[in-house]
């Protein structure tokens, strides 16, 4: 299930199950969205992105869904593996801008 | 690929001293680099945008005289934390994207863990 920790919410899933990580973004003027994965002590790593003219994009084992009406972004990970354990951040770029602003992260914990 | 190298990976310094962190794009050119700070169990907060050949742009609440940024070439940006204090202890991460590709993913360095004693 999902719980709110001291700072980062945590999602705990069983290995092999699908994971869904949610994000509410802040700016209706944002037109480009990215999901990053951050392992302990490292910089964020790009996972998948989506532009505002799309509502779904699929990658390898990952899918991003965008709902602009409610300013909601989600990341779906299929057949979650122990190596997927990390903190996941959504991020947004505003129209005409080049700054990337990060949302609150979610810690994904995969139980073997 | 697009590799961003950050150095040092960790540093310990005494209060009042200055620390310089380097960020290099190894296989691409970046007219703009971005510096983030991350406290434990929190998200990345954008500190400033480093612009090659011109002044950096700082986010609200970030002291430009404390966090000096220099972007002297298309592959190197440096962040100097001046007169460091314990509250400056944090994880500093730089990032960059290919020149001219604004709406594209950032490539991140592996961060610098700064501890000020």
């Amino acid at each position: 299930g999902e719980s709110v920790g001291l700072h980062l919410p945590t999602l705990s899933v069983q290995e092999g199950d699908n994971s869904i990580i949610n994000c509410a973004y802040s700016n209706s003027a944002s037109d480009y969205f990215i999901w990053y994965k951050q392992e302990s002590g490292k910089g964020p790593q790009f996972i998948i992105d989506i532009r505002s003219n799309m509502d779904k994009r699929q990658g390898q084992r990952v899918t991003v869904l965008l709902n602009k009406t409610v300013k909601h972004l989600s990341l779906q990970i299929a057949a979650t593996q122990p190596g997927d354990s990390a903190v996941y951040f959504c991020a947004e770029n505003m129209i005409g801008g080049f700054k990337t602003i990060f949302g609150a992260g979610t810690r994904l914990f995969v139980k073997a | 690929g697009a590799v961003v190298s950050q150095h040092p990976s960790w540093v310990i310094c005494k209060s009042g001293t200055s620390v310089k962190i380097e960020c290099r794009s190894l296989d691409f050119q970046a007219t703009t680099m971005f510096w983030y700070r991350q406290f434990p169990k929190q998200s990345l907060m954008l500190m400033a945008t480093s612009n090659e050949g011109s002044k950096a742009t700082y986010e609200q609440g970030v002291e430009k005289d404390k966090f000096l940024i220099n972007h002297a070439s298309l592959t190197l940006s440096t962040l100097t934390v001046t007169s460091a204090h314990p509250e400056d202890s944090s994880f500093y991460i730089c990032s960059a994207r290919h020149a001219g590709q604004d709406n594209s993913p950032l490539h991140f360095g592996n961060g610098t863990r700064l501890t000020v004693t």
Side-chain angles (χ1 to χ4, degrees), chain A residues 7-8 31-32 34 36 38 41-44 46 49 51 89 93-94 97-105 107, chain B residues 32 34 36 38 40-44 46 49 51 59 91 93 97 102-111 113:
Chain A
H7 291 289
L8 292 175
D31 66 344
Y32 176 61
I34 318 100
Y36 288 95
Q38 186 180 29
K42 296 185 178 180
F46 169 77
D49 58 1
R51 302 190 187 282
F89 293 98
N93 278 28
M94 288 189 289
F98 52 83
K99 292 194 294 188
T100 299
I101 304 301
F102 279 71
R107 181 177 299 281
Chain B
T32 307
F34 302 88
Y36 290 82
Q38 185 178 33
K41 297 185 180 180
Q42 293 188 25
S43 188
L44 281 75
L46 180 63
T49 302
N51 304 298
E59 295 300 301
F91 193 50
I93 315 172
R97 58 168 65 95
D102 286 349
N103 266 351
S104 65
L106 287 172
H107 304 284
F108 285 85
N110 267 333
R113 172 84 50 201

Side-chain angles (χ1 to χ4, degrees), chain A:
Chain A
E2 203 169 345
S3 63
V4 177
L6 182 61
H7 291 289
L8 292 175
T10 299
L11 175 64
S12 185
V13 300
Q14 197 69 39
E15 180 180 1
D17 288 351
N18 296 335
S19 302
I20 300 176
I21 300 171
N22 297 303
C23 174
Y25 64 90
S26 57
N27 200 318
S28 56
S30 294
D31 66 344
Y32 176 61
F33 305 90
I34 318 100
W35 279 100
Y36 288 95
K37 171 186 180 183
Q38 186 180 29
E39 296 175 307
S40 182
K42 296 185 178 180
Q45 175 186 1
F46 169 77
I47 301 174
I48 192 168
D49 58 1
I50 188 168
R51 302 190 187 282
S52 59
N53 59 353
M54 303 172 68
D55 53 21
K56 180 179 179 178
R57 190 161 188 232
Q58 288 184 290
Q60 189 175 24
R61 273 202 315 121
V62 294
T63 301
V64 55
L65 299 178
L66 174 63
N67 185 329
K68 294 183 290 293
T69 303
V70 294
K71 292 191 289 185
H72 184 268
L73 200 62
S74 70
L75 176 70
Q76 300 177 0
I77 304 174
T80 314
Q81 302 168 1
D84 295 327
S85 293
V87 178
Y88 290 81
F89 293 98
C90 65
E92 60 188 296
N93 278 28
M94 288 189 289
I95 293 172
F98 52 83
K99 292 194 294 188
T100 299
I101 304 301
F102 279 71
T106 296
R107 181 177 299 281
L108 175 65
F109 179 69
V110 182
K111 296 177 287 188

Side-chain angles (χ1 to χ4, degrees), chain B:
Chain B
V3 179
V4 174
S5 174
Q6 196 171 334
H7 179 81
S9 56
W10 62 270
V11 58
I12 301 172
C13 72
K14 293 185 176 180
S15 283
T17 61
S18 295
V19 173
K20 180 185 282 188
I21 302 169
E22 292 188 349
C23 179
R24 295 180 186 273
S25 55
L26 296 187
D27 52 359
F28 67 101
Q29 294 184 332
T31 52
T32 307
M33 292 184 175
F34 302 88
W35 288 95
Y36 290 82
R37 179 167 55 181
Q38 185 178 33
F39 291 107
K41 297 185 180 180
Q42 293 188 25
S43 188
L44 281 75
M45 296 299 296
L46 180 63
M47 298 176 66
T49 302
S50 172
N51 304 298
E52 187 266 335
S54 65
K55 292 182 180 179
T57 307
Y58 291 81
E59 295 300 301
Q60 192 171 10
V62 178
E63 299 175 59
K64 62 180 181 183
D65 294 331
K66 180 165 188 62
F67 299 100
L68 299 180
I69 291 173
N70 184 277
H71 193 151
S73 78
L74 287 171
T75 59
L76 173 64
S77 174
T78 60
L79 168 69
T80 301
V81 183
T82 63
S83 187
H85 288 99
E87 57 265 31
D88 297 325
S89 298
S90 189
F91 193 50
Y92 293 87
I93 315 172
C94 73
S95 64
R97 58 168 65 95
H98 289 82
Q101 297 184 12
D102 286 349
N103 266 351
S104 65
L106 287 172
H107 304 284
F108 285 85
N110 267 333
T112 297
R113 172 84 50 201
L114 171 63
T115 302
V116 185
T117 61

